[in-house]
């Protein structure tokens, strides 16, 4: 995927949705980002499993009915001269029953003292494999909706991020620990590659550091994670930082936050 410049608008949740569909306001918003001159616009975290996989008013790509509203956004961005990729996410434990409609799920039934999220239940092996498949299905829909690629959200404490966390992942099966977390992420990447095609770019957003009090991913771990993802076929690594339990809300800054 060739971009006209190096300016990238990263994924930011705007909540411009209605029952999981992106609205005309969303299309207008993203079109303006492209009109401003960016080479690439990444569209906000879109859940692959609606509603259990959403945390806020995320758009959805969990079935074909969501393709038309996603296509309107992609067309608006393309019409203003930019490329666009769609960020795919499963929020995992970082949600609430009010948002996702039931008890949240995660790699393990582990909550934290510093998070207000409801205690999650542990995914079964069948559910893990089903989730991997849903990432692949979502990638195919993103391509059908006209996006130029996808970004897999493996950061910020969401489902894949929790699998990678030495503190949160207490599983004792093949998906346990850091090695098991990397296995889960690798399987997602490989499934997305199979579904989206060999010429469909895959970006991954990862944490360079969780900055977690409880002991999450460190900058040493993230080097190993990045290499493993590259070997599984990822084309671009987007490095971020922080989870809800971090010492600072590094990934949830607003215009009211102090500079730096």
């Amino acid at each position: 995927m060739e971009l006209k410049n190096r300016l990238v608008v990263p994924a930011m949740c705007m909540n411009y949705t209605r029952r999981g569909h992106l609205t005309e306001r969303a299309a207008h918003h993203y079109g303006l980002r492209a009109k401003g001159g960016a080479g690439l616009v990444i569209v906000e975290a879109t859940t692959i499993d609606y509603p259990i996989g959403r945390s806020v008013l995320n758009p959805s790509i969990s079935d074909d009915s969501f393709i038309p509203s996603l296509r309107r956004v992609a067309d608006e961005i393309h019409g203003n001269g930019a490329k666009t990729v769609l960020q795919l996410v499963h929020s995992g434990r970082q949600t609430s029953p009010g948002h996702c409609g039931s008890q949240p799920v995660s790699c393990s039934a582990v909550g934290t003292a510093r998070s207000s999220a409801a205690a999650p239940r542990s995914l079964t092996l069948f559910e893990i494999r089903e989730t991997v498949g849903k990432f692949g299905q979502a990638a195919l829909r993103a391509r059908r909706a006209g996006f130029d690629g996808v970004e897999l959200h493996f950061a910020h404490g969401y489902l894949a991020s929790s699998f990678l966390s030495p503190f949160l992942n207490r599983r004792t099966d093949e998906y346990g620990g850091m090695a098991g977390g990397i296995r889960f992420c690798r399987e997602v990447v490989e499934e997305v590659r199979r579904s989206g095609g060999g010429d469909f770019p895959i970006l991954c957003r990862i944490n360079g550091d969780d900055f977690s009090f409880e002991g999450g991913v460190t900058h040493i771990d993230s080097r190993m994670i990045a290499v493993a993802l590259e070997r599984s076929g990822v084309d671009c690594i987007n490095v971020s930082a922080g989870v809800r339990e971090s010492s600072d809300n590094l990934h949830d800054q607003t215009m009211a936050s102090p500079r730096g």
Side-chain angles (χ1 to χ4, degrees):
M1 180 172 62
E2 184 173 331
L3 307 179
K4 65 182 181 181
N5 58 46
R6 294 178 179 270
L7 296 176
V8 177
V9 178
M12 294 174 277
C13 289
M14 305 307 301
N15 293 339
Y16 294 157
T17 62
R18 186 176 295 111
R19 293 186 294 278
H21 295 270
L22 286 168
T23 62
E24 290 297 331
R25 186 177 185 183
H28 178 66
H29 167 83
Y30 284 111
L32 287 179
R33 307 284 83 74
K35 191 174 183 180
L40 175 65
V41 177
I42 304 177
V43 173
E44 65 196 271
T46 301
T47 180
I48 55 109
D49 194 357
Y50 185 84
I52 187 67
R54 75 170 185 171
S55 60
V56 287
L57 300 181
N58 303 89
S60 173
I61 195 168
S62 57
D63 65 57
D64 289 355
S65 69
F66 296 100
I67 291 176
S69 61
L70 290 162
R71 184 181 291 117
R72 281 198 301 273
V73 173
D75 288 347
E76 192 72 21
I77 293 169
H78 287 148
N80 283 286
K83 295 291 180 68
T84 181
V85 302
L86 185 68
Q87 189 181 75
L88 304 179
V89 70
H90 190 302
S91 295
R93 71 189 181 93
Q94 277 190 176
T95 185
S96 67
H99 280 305
C100 71
S102 61
Q103 183 182 15
V105 296
S106 188
C107 54
S108 306
V110 179
T112 66
R114 293 181 176 271
S115 175
S116 60
R121 67 171 179 84
S122 178
L123 288 165
T124 66
L125 281 173
F126 175 80
E127 288 173 322
I128 288 174
R129 288 159 188 156
E130 190 176 47
T131 300
V132 169
K134 287 180 178 179
F135 270 101
Q137 295 161 22
L140 178 58
R141 291 188 186 105
R143 182 158 197 165
R144 288 171 56 197
F147 286 89
D148 301 297
V150 290
E151 178 174 81
L152 306 177
H153 201 336
F154 291 170
H156 300 169
Y158 297 119
L159 183 62
S161 177
S162 67
F163 266 95
L164 293 169
S165 168
F167 175 75
L168 293 171
N169 190 344
R170 311 284 181 87
R171 302 184 72 94
T172 56
D173 56 22
E174 60 264 44
Y175 293 101
M178 177 70 73
I182 289 175
R183 173 179 177 157
F184 173 77
C185 293
R186 188 185 71 244
E187 289 180 359
V188 169
V189 171
E190 291 169 351
E191 185 67 21
V192 166
R193 178 64 70 206
R194 275 193 294 271
S195 299
D199 61 342
F200 196 53
I202 301 174
L203 292 66
C204 266
R205 188 171 224 191
I206 67 169
N207 275 354
D209 200 309
D210 282 356
F211 291 111
S212 173
F213 290 100
E214 281 84 6
V217 169
T218 69
H219 65 283
I220 303 298
D221 299 323
S222 65
R223 301 177 197 184
M224 178 175 63
I225 292 166
V227 169
L229 290 174
E230 182 184 14
R231 288 175 177 169
S232 19
V234 169
D235 301 298
C236 178
I237 304 288
N238 179 353
V239 183
S240 188
V243 294
R244 292 291 184 268
E245 296 83 7
S246 297
S247 52
D248 189 15
N249 286 333
L250 298 166
H251 59 298
D252 280 341
Q253 299 288 13
T254 71
M255 288 184 288
S257 303
R259 289 189 178 275

